[in-house]
């Protein structure tokens, strides 16, 4: 296990990662409103009404009308802005902060936002296909974050990333080492631990979507696999031209919520 801390990978096409920052702010605000600054009942209602519940989406169960907050198809997206506790939120946002800016740089602001939401939806879909009858709400941004990680892996495997290995040993490693290990771990855990409280299916769905989408959504001329690495001191910012739970689906009692960590 590792925590990313920093990458020496300067932006080449944009000046500021507006979408990445905005997504982090939105996730934090939603957590503050639904978690820290609200009652347990309010939090439970948000999780059930906005979380992704496979049994509801695939018509094996129905939510009570009083619990419905958005159309069920909208939960393919809304679930990704809810988090269970501070560590759940922080782990996802650290990954987004370290890797999101360079993926946004490679795609552009609008396409990155679309990319992020599509990866979230793909994560929910795979989770639903793996646990189709589950009435436990899925929450967490990790489906989308997994897509960002996959995209970064294909774009910048040679860039050195400072990571905290085993949560205590800081090391600078080529991105390919920790990210390849992390990606392989998600597939392995889906096979051996598919019914756990962590939705490995959402992670795998996000990874697959991110790997495919970055191939077709990146800017024209953006290479894969770090064919050219520009050091931060050599980078000029150019706009257009590149420089080389308590409630269930059926009633008041909630099965454990799936967290995409």
């Amino acid at each position: 296990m590792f925590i990313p801390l920093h990458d020496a990978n300067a932006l080449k096409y944009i000046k500021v990662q507006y979408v990445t920052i905005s997504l982090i702010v939105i996730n934090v605000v939603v957590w503050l409103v639904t978690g820290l600054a609200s009652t347990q009942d309010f939090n439970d209602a948000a999780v059930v009404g906005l979380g992704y519940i496979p049994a509801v989406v695939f018509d094996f169960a129905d939510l009570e009308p009083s619990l419905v907050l958005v159309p069920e198809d909208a939960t393919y997206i809304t679930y990704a802005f809810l988090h269970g506790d501070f560590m759940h939120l922080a782990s996802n946002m650290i990954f987004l902060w370290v890797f999101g800016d360079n993926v946004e740089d490679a795609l552009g602001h609008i396409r990155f936002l679309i990319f992020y939401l599509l990866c979230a939806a793909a994560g929910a879909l795979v989770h639903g296909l793996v646990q189709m009858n589950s009435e436990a709400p899925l929450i967490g941004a990790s489906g989308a974050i997994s897509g960002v990680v996959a995209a970064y892996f294909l774009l910048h495997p040679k860039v050195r990333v400072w990571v905290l290995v085993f949560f205590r040993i800081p090391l600078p490693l080529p991105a390919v080492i920790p990210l390849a290990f992390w990606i392989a771990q998600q597939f392995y855990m889906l096979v051996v631990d598919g019914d756990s409280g962590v939705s490995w299916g959402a992670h795998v769905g996000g990874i697959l979507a991110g790997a495919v989408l970055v191939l077709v959504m990146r800017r024209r001329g953006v290479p894969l696999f770090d064919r050219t690495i520009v050091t931060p001191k050599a980078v000029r910012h150019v706009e257009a031209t590149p420089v080389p739970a308590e409630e269930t689906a059926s009633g008041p009692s909630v099965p454990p919520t799936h967290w995409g960590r």
Side-chain angles (χ1 to χ4, degrees):
M1 294 294 293
F2 74 95
I3 299 174
L5 300 175
H6 171 70
D7 65 337
N9 194 2
L11 302 177
K12 302 171 181 66
Y13 303 94
I14 61 176
K15 291 183 178 180
V16 180
Q17 61 273 37
Y18 295 113
V19 176
T20 298
I21 294 172
S22 297
L23 287 168
I24 293 172
V25 170
I26 291 170
N27 276 280
V28 171
V29 169
V30 170
W31 179 74
L32 290 174
V33 171
T34 61
L36 196 62
S38 65
T39 65
Q40 187 62 47
D41 288 343
F42 183 87
N43 177 262
D44 292 342
V47 167
V48 173
L50 300 175
Y52 178 84
I53 306 176
V56 172
V57 173
F58 291 103
D59 298 324
F60 293 111
D62 295 306
L63 277 179
E64 292 182 2
S66 62
L67 300 177
V68 176
L69 298 181
V70 295
E72 61 187 41
D73 287 342
T75 63
Y76 277 97
I77 300 298
T78 57
Y79 86 96
F81 293 92
L82 299 169
H83 291 85
D85 59 27
F86 176 76
M87 290 307 298
H88 187 206
L89 171 73
S91 60
N92 279 330
M93 295 304 101
I94 289 172
F95 271 76
L96 181 56
W97 174 251
V98 174
F99 301 120
D101 58 341
N102 295 108
V103 179
E104 181 176 347
D105 189 45
L107 272 61
H109 301 303
I110 301 301
R111 278 178 290 181
F112 176 67
L113 177 59
I114 296 170
F115 169 91
Y116 184 91
L117 297 178
L118 287 176
C119 289
L125 176 61
V126 173
H127 169 77
L129 293 175
V130 171
Q131 302 192 35
M132 198 171 290
N133 294 308
S134 174
E135 295 185 1
L138 171 69
I139 60 172
S142 58
I145 304 303
S146 297
V148 172
V149 170
Y152 193 100
F153 176 79
L154 293 179
L155 291 167
H156 304 296
K158 299 176 185 177
V159 168
R160 288 196 174 271
V161 178
W162 277 92
V163 297
L164 202 59
V165 180
F166 301 123
F167 305 109
R168 58 182 64 189
I169 305 171
L171 289 175
L173 298 172
V176 65
I177 296 175
L179 296 190
F181 176 81
W182 186 88
I183 290 170
Q185 181 190 33
Q186 311 315 302
F187 284 88
Y188 173 77
M189 293 303 293
L190 176 61
V191 173
V192 303
D193 193 31
D195 294 328
S196 75
V198 175
S199 177
W200 306 110
H203 295 193
V204 168
I207 290 169
L208 295 175
V212 172
L213 290 172
V214 73
L215 299 179
V216 298
M217 295 183 71
R218 70 189 193 277
R219 297 173 188 269
R220 181 176 299 176
V222 170
L224 298 175
F225 309 118
D226 289 323
R227 293 176 197 164
T228 302
I229 300 179
V230 182
T231 62
K233 290 183 179 179
V235 168
R236 291 187 294 108
H237 291 297
V238 187
E239 293 299 327
T241 305
V243 177
E246 289 293 317
E247 308 228 4
T248 69
S250 52
S253 106
V254 155
T257 301
H258 284 290
W259 289 11
R261 306 198 207 217

